[in-house]
Amino acid sequence: MTLGKADKQGDLLDDVTRFCDETLDEHSIYAFLHRERDQLFPDEAFADLFDDKGRRSVPPCVVAVVMVLQRLEGLSDREAAERYCFDNRWRYAAGVGGYDSTGWTSFAHTVLVDMRERLRRSDDPNRIFDAARDAAKEAGLVGRRRVLDSTPLYDAVATMDTVTLIRSAIRGVLKVADAELVAALRTVLSSGDDYASAAKPMIDWDDEAAREALIDSRAKDAYACLLFLDATELGPEVTLAATLLATVVGQDIEEGDDATFRIVRGVAKNRIISTVDPEARHGHKTQARGFDGYKGHAAIDPDSEIITETVVTPGNAGDASVAEDLIADLLEGEGTDAENPSGANRGANTQAQVEEPDGHSTVYGDNAYGTGAFHKRLEDEGIESRCKTQNPAAASGLFTKDRFEVKVAEGTVTCPAGVTVVISRHRKGGGMAYFRDACATCSLRSECTKSAGGRTIAIGAHEEALARARARQVDPAWRSDYRATRPKVERKLAHLMRRRHGGRRARVRGTVKVDADFKLLAAAVNLARLSVLGVCWTNAGWAVAAR
């Protein structure tokens, strides 16, 4: 398929164009995309996705506009193709005009599927998101402050129980194996299950003995398959299926003293929850709020509310694990010029609320980002950390860790009673301080520890960075800035999640595809924000139009 190119001249007499010019708000997303489509998504920017021979494609700039509007309005592929065909606002935004023009009257919904796959396989899969963000940067809407947060993305598949996981994994092996291998595998299956159906076996689920027998028999089938496959030379597909089978059996099943297989009590770390989407995980946004699927992480500029970066991880990943990816531009020294580090002169709608020191970048985040390692990295890069740090806690109202004087440089810890001990260092940094015998006769023991071995204080590898962070957040000015700035990212995440399709619920499977879909959603929201702020292309580049 070769690159199709849109007609950039347009039809001055087109009824749809004339009607939309007269009726649509100039700051609507439709008017913005109509004006700036060729600058944002020139067809030539997608040339690497196509071949030199074949029929011409739908112009990529048209498809890109439809993809943006689809994500903004939360539509399926079929609904988006229908909307493009029948909604004059969509046709106006895509620059194809009415039905008497030379533009594309309609196209199949599979065009959207094809474009996403071409982008995924390319060297620059995020070019639509990058186009929107780069326009905001050039217009001076992206400063040197970032606010970080994450939100749950529910998986697009059903969470499976242990029996369903094992049966599905065995069925997966049988599906990818050749006929000869399938016949050999069936000879080692002893449960009587032919694994032809995804439905659960018919048993009395109220009968505990029947449930245990079912689990034991399916686990023995799984281990029999794995034992047979271990002695067989396998292709890549069968190897992947066998690895998945070994994982789901190993995470949920244990063998008892009576040689009967039973479900393990508790939840395994990094547990696979579905063989249909093996990358989805159990996640917790809070201790009381669990979910299954992925986490969407985002960084925004708090003044313009432009999303500067997004990352998707499995649901069990910690927020701080991708914090450096979210602020990669700050770590690389990108952003607005040094004369306007805080973005204070961006127009009336994007005035910075807090003046930052000249040349300083600042990162905001809640307790999830207040780790010692992240604080230390920010300090090393000269970035101001306004990530909240959890204060030390102790059970039953006992002395918390901050009641102890920790001197990392000297390698000592002094307790509230004035006893000083030496820190026992760990090879990987940090260490432990043991008070032991000193606690036996201490008058403060009842307020400090209930352990028979005395109080023990753990010293982290980045203990000093955490101490400095806790000292900073006591400052009223720090607290005021934090409370005024950090909530903005929660509002932006709420904007991302408000649609019924592909907002909170992932529309695709796998981390890579969910990440691409989340980035496209962020790009759509960014473009809607640029239209409201009055960003336009000028001879000098992108700028905010004076109002």
Side-chain angles (χ1 to χ4, degrees), residues 502-521:
R504 182 78 64 195
R505 176 72 63 181
R507 305 189 308 165
V508 289
R509 301 194 297 265
T511 305
V512 172
K513 291 184 178 181
V514 175
D515 180 76
D517 199 50
F518 192 61
K519 263 192 168 57
L520 182 59
L521 176 60

Side-chain angles (χ1 to χ4, degrees), residues 101-112:
S101 67
T102 58
W104 283 79
T105 303
S106 63
F107 57 75
H109 72 278
T110 53
V111 170
L112 299 172

Side-chain angles (χ1 to χ4, degrees), residues 468-489:
R468 289 190 292 270
R470 292 187 180 108
R472 286 194 299 267
Q473 68 188 30
V474 176
D475 182 11
W478 191 101
R479 290 173 175 264
S480 177
D481 182 25
Y482 177 86
R483 289 170 179 167
T485 306
R486 204 203 71 80
K488 293 182 179 181
V489 71

Side-chain angles (χ1 to χ4, degrees), residues 162-163 165-170 215-216 218-226 241-255 261-264 268 271-272 275:
T162 299
V163 172
L165 275 173
I166 294 174
R167 294 191 71 257
S168 179
I170 293 175
I215 294 165
D216 178 64
R218 292 339 183 248
K220 287 178 177 176
D221 275 358
Y223 281 116
C225 285
L226 292 172
T243 301
L244 180 59
L245 174 58
T247 303
V248 299
V249 175
Q251 71 183 7
D252 284 355
I253 298 296
E254 64 180 357
E255 186 176 7
F261 291 101
R262 296 183 176 87
I263 295 178
V264 177
R271 181 179 184 268
I272 291 176
T275 58

Side-chain angles (χ1 to χ4, degrees), residues 59-95:
C61 65
V62 173
V63 181
V65 167
V66 173
M67 290 172 68
V68 166
L69 293 176
Q70 174 191 15
R71 295 303 289 115
L72 193 63
E73 300 190 19
L75 303 178
S76 68
D77 289 341
R78 291 181 184 275
E79 290 170 330
E82 290 179 0
R83 189 70 64 87
Y84 166 80
C85 182
F86 298 110
D87 192 323
N88 286 338
R89 296 172 301 174
W90 281 49
R91 301 184 64 79
Y92 175 70

Side-chain angles (χ1 to χ4, degrees), residues 163-164 167 193 195 197-205 214 218:
V163 172
T164 306
R167 294 191 71 257
D193 193 337
Y195 296 97
S197 170
K200 284 186 178 181
M202 298 295 292
I203 67 166
D204 182 0
W205 290 96
L214 174 67
R218 292 339 183 248

